[in-house]
Amino acid sequence: MSNERVEKLAVLIGDFLVECAVRIWEPKAARASVVCVHGFAGTSVDFAPLAETLTRNGIRVIAPDMFGRGASTFLSNPQLYSLRTQILALNLTKRYQEPANCFLGTSWGGLMALAHVATINWSTKGIVLNDCAVEANDTVAGFREKLTLEAEMIFPKKEDAEDHVIQSRAMDFLKGDMRERFLASRIRSVEGGWRMNYDPMLADTLRANNPFSAVDMLTKAPRPILMSFGTESPYVNDPVNDEIAEANPNITLIKFMSDPHPPSLMKPDQILTISGFLSHCLA
């Protein structure tokens, strides 16, 4: 079993002193590390099952709660949730990284990880992009709209919030302690009921509907990158993914993760696929 801990790091954002919570799973003797970045509405707890496998292979797992999520500070001001602010959270993980280090990101988190790696001159052994849209499109706009509505929802009862999480994320397969832990990480008590465990002010960042494209970056990426998609993902059949893989031999494209958007990375086949790629990169 790995040794899990959470460290809260103080950081200045403008004139505000805030905290970034970083969850770390420590192996007995770390030979390498991987930084895991959750999706827009996720938390670091999402990587707990994967971390158990990686730490057995001597890989330290480092997972920040990005600002406005989980145990990190809710900035309560949409103007503070810039790309620069979110990348700051990833910069903070440097103190825990081994020289041999990879990055993994789910959906929005994958784009954050990719942007960060590009700013550090691709200083990484490899990257996993778990169900990431590589450019803005109508499907991305649809997800933004759903999250905008969810960010401001208040559920009268805890059970209602938990049911929403399970059904909207297709997490019925989770059982026992991991189910309880996952649910506890995804909801929070507020005045008048329960809401999702991310800052409702983040809804304004979604309404901005800023365009983006990572196509050129991925086509030229000099490091191994795994682009993995769920079999039911709305992004899985986007032809641009195949075009990127054909243009860059560093890209590995797989489309068989047994989940909708995004794969949870909590199922055995998913864990084996991801850990196998990371172990190869870090060998």
Side-chain angles (χ1 to χ4, degrees):
M1 296 292 288
S2 62
N3 181 16
E4 179 182 346
R5 69 185 190 276
V6 175
E7 297 190 8
K8 291 190 175 182
L9 308 179
V11 60
L12 277 173
I13 297 179
D15 292 330
F16 300 97
L17 184 63
V18 300
E19 288 185 330
C20 180
V22 181
R23 191 177 304 273
I24 302 151
W25 287 269
E26 194 73 52
K28 290 183 178 180
R31 62 175 180 83
S33 57
V34 58
V35 176
C36 297
V37 191
H38 58 73
F40 186 89
T43 76
S44 56
V45 172
D46 295 353
F47 300 106
L50 177 63
E52 288 299 323
T53 293
L54 293 177
T55 52
R56 291 191 193 103
N57 292 322
I59 300 172
R60 178 184 298 120
V61 178
I62 308 154
D65 282 342
M66 302 297 277
F67 290 111
R69 288 92 170 169
S72 289
T73 299
F74 283 29
L75 304 178
S76 301
N77 181 345
Q79 294 182 348
L80 294 178
Y81 288 117
S82 64
L83 176 60
R84 184 182 299 274
T85 296
Q86 300 299 353
I87 295 301
L88 176 59
L90 300 186
N91 287 333
L92 292 173
T93 68
K94 178 65 176 177
R95 68 190 68 188
Y96 306 112
Q97 295 174 28
E98 292 292 318
N101 182 75
C102 285
F103 288 85
L104 179 157
T106 290
S107 190
W108 171 87
L111 295 175
M112 295 300 103
L114 187 62
H116 173 66
V117 168
T119 66
I120 59 172
N121 197 30
W122 297 91
S123 181
T124 183
K125 295 292 186 180
I127 309 170
V128 176
L129 301 179
N130 178 34
D131 224 88
C132 296
V134 298
E135 59 186 359
N137 53 38
D138 290 342
T139 302
V140 173
F143 276 112
R144 283 174 169 170
E145 183 176 353
K146 290 179 181 179
L147 286 169
T148 298
L149 294 172
E150 182 187 74
E152 298 174 336
M153 293 171 65
I154 295 181
F155 300 87
K157 296 188 295 185
K158 181 180 180 181
E159 292 78 10
D160 296 333
E162 290 178 338
D163 184 63
H164 171 79
V165 170
I166 292 296
Q167 297 306 317
S168 62
R169 273 68 180 177
M171 301 297 285
D172 277 329
F173 68 91
L174 275 185
K175 307 296 180 185
D177 291 343
M178 190 60 223
R179 182 186 181 99
E180 295 304 314
R181 187 177 184 194
F182 175 74
L183 287 171
S185 75
R186 287 299 190 103
I187 61 175
R188 65 192 294 127
S189 177
V190 297
E191 184 177 354
W194 296 78
R195 66 161 76 238
M196 297 298 100
N197 197 13
Y198 58 99
D199 189 348
M201 290 296 103
L202 285 164
D204 281 356
T205 69
L206 296 167
R207 292 188 184 99
N209 204 26
N210 294 321
F212 69 90
S213 176
V215 174
D216 187 62
M217 192 183 306
L218 288 167
T219 301
K220 299 175 181 177
R223 297 289 182 267
I225 298 180
L226 173 62
M227 296 174 60
S228 61
F229 294 91
T231 53
E232 303 169 56
S233 168
Y235 306 127
V236 67
N237 293 318
D238 189 336
V240 73
N241 299 324
D242 297 282
E243 293 167 8
I244 291 169
E246 289 173 5
N248 188 344
N250 290 316
I251 303 292
T252 299
L253 178 62
I254 62 172
K255 305 179 179 182
F256 54 77
M257 291 287 191
S258 54
D259 263 334
H261 172 76
S264 64
L265 305 188
M266 295 185 185
K267 296 179 178 179
D269 62 315
Q270 299 169 359
I271 291 172
L272 287 173
T273 298
I274 298 302
S275 61
F277 177 82
L278 291 173
S279 294
H280 176 75
C281 291
L282 295 167

